[in-house]
Amino acid sequence: MRRFVQKHGWSYTFILPSLLTFTVFVLAPVVWAFIISFQEYSLVRGGTWVTPIYKNYVTAFTQFGGVFVSAIRNTLIYTLFTVTANILIGLILASLIQPLSNWLRTFFRAAYYLPAVTSALIIGLTWAYIFNAQWGFANYLLRLVGLPPVRWLSDPDIALGSVTLSAVLTVPATAVVLFSAAMGSIPREYYEAAELDGAGPIQRWWHITVPLIKSTTLYLVVIYTIASFEVFERIYVMVPSGVGNSTQTIVTQIYNNGFKDLNFGVASAQAFVLFVMIAAVAALQFRALRSDVEY
């Protein structure tokens, strides 16, 4: 033990501040929320254990006619479309700007990264104006081609689709920048050897570029999946009153129970259902997209 401390003590000293910050502001609240998920909690009286111990989890799925089940379904649909679109759009845009000169590559990386530094609320408000039923830009375009206006955000049949479309059409800034950086780090010798063997641009892209950026793809798939599972700001801004159950997501349900109804026990139970779902999906993604390729 003494030898270990002498050898690695300074290393752990340097990471100690980050470890303490993580423990106080991340780990401790998560553990506390897990405990509350088995309690009836009041800000004044504190928590009392519920009976049976899983009562809050049952209530989470059965309250208000099972709206939480609809919220899970909506979240899964939103995640499936947005993650797939963000990865594909990011990969295509990065592939298109990669052959350009250094100056142009830098310009397009900066241009595409702008949405990442823009507030999610601002982006949501912009799309809410675009999809406004009376004077929105989307209906203006429909009128130009003689089509009737659409109630993008008030029709329960298409409201979730409109929100999902707004997320799909927002440039995936992080994906473009990271894919572009990963492509730039691939040794040119691989492409030159493939070109000598007669491989065309599409073949080089598919058989060299795509496999060698698999670790970046995995990282992006995981972070986009987590972000999509936790979608809230876009829903809250674009459909603040909701359109029945059609635009409810897991996090809007957690917000309603925790901050509107002060039902912290049920909100914590729903938060842990979300945690388990994200962990399960991330495990599947790591298993499906893990790469042993190094270069």
Side-chain angles (χ1 to χ4, degrees):
M1 184 65 184
R2 178 179 295 177
R3 182 178 299 176
F4 178 84
V5 172
Q6 290 175 344
K7 186 175 181 181
H8 303 288
W10 279 109
S11 304
Y12 285 94
T13 302
F14 284 119
I15 67 171
L16 186 59
S18 299
L19 186 62
L20 287 175
T21 303
F22 173 80
T23 302
V24 172
F25 293 103
V26 178
L27 185 60
V30 169
V31 173
W32 184 238
F34 183 66
I35 294 172
I36 291 177
S37 71
F38 299 105
Q39 294 181 336
E40 185 176 353
Y41 190 82
S42 168
L43 293 175
V44 179
R45 299 187 302 274
T48 55
W49 298 101
V50 295
T51 306
I53 198 67
Y54 51 82
K55 178 183 176 183
N56 286 334
Y57 287 86
V58 174
T59 304
F61 283 93
T62 57
Q63 68 173 177
F64 306 127
V67 63
F68 189 55
V69 176
S70 299
I72 292 175
R73 185 192 63 231
N74 295 339
T75 303
L76 291 175
I77 293 173
Y78 178 87
T79 299
L80 175 64
F81 282 97
T82 54
V83 172
T84 303
N86 284 335
I87 294 299
L88 290 178
I89 293 172
L91 182 59
I92 291 171
L93 289 176
S95 300
L96 291 175
I97 67 175
Q98 192 59 30
L100 303 178
S101 64
N102 288 336
W103 185 88
L104 284 175
R105 269 208 307 272
T106 303
F107 169 77
F108 280 111
R109 283 174 182 171
Y112 284 128
Y113 198 70
L114 279 179
V117 297
T118 306
S119 166
L121 293 177
I122 299 299
I123 295 176
L125 279 173
T126 303
W127 280 105
Y129 282 118
I130 292 174
F131 285 139
N132 186 281
Q134 281 76 44
W135 36 265
F137 184 67
N139 279 345
Y140 170 76
L141 293 178
L142 291 179
R143 292 190 190 96
L144 286 180
V145 296
L147 295 175
V150 175
R151 295 187 299 123
W152 298 95
L153 300 176
S154 56
D155 186 338
D157 293 328
I158 64 170
L160 180 64
S162 301
V163 176
T164 304
L165 180 63
S166 73
V168 168
L169 294 179
T170 302
V171 175
T174 304
V176 173
V177 172
L178 292 187
F179 272 139
S180 180
M183 290 176 187
S185 66
I186 298 175
R188 303 306 306 169
E189 291 81 3
Y190 294 169
Y191 293 102
E192 293 168 359
E195 195 170 359
L196 288 175
D197 288 339
I202 300 297
Q203 290 172 310
R204 294 198 296 273
W205 181 81
W206 181 251
H207 292 291
I208 297 177
T209 303
V210 173
L212 292 184
I213 61 172
K214 204 171 179 182
S215 56
T216 303
T217 305
L218 171 60
Y219 172 75
L220 289 169
V221 167
V222 171
I223 65 169
Y224 276 128
T225 299
I226 294 173
S228 297
F229 267 110
E230 296 176 345
V231 60
F232 175 73
E233 299 96 334
R234 191 179 294 268
I235 298 284
Y236 186 75
V237 170
M238 295 182 68
V239 280
S241 302
V243 189
N245 293 342
S246 65
T247 55
Q248 292 292 333
T249 64
I250 298 175
V251 178
T252 60
Q253 279 298 291
I254 295 172
Y255 173 79
N256 290 337
N257 276 308
F259 294 96
K260 286 188 174 179
D261 301 335
L262 301 182
N263 196 344
F264 300 111
V266 174
S268 297
Q270 291 173 333
F272 266 87
V273 171
L274 175 61
F275 171 78
V276 171
M277 290 176 63
I278 291 176
V281 172
L284 291 175
Q285 291 169 337
F286 271 97
R287 186 174 181 80
L289 294 174
R290 65 183 177 186
S291 174
D292 298 326
V293 178
E294 293 184 1
Y295 57 92

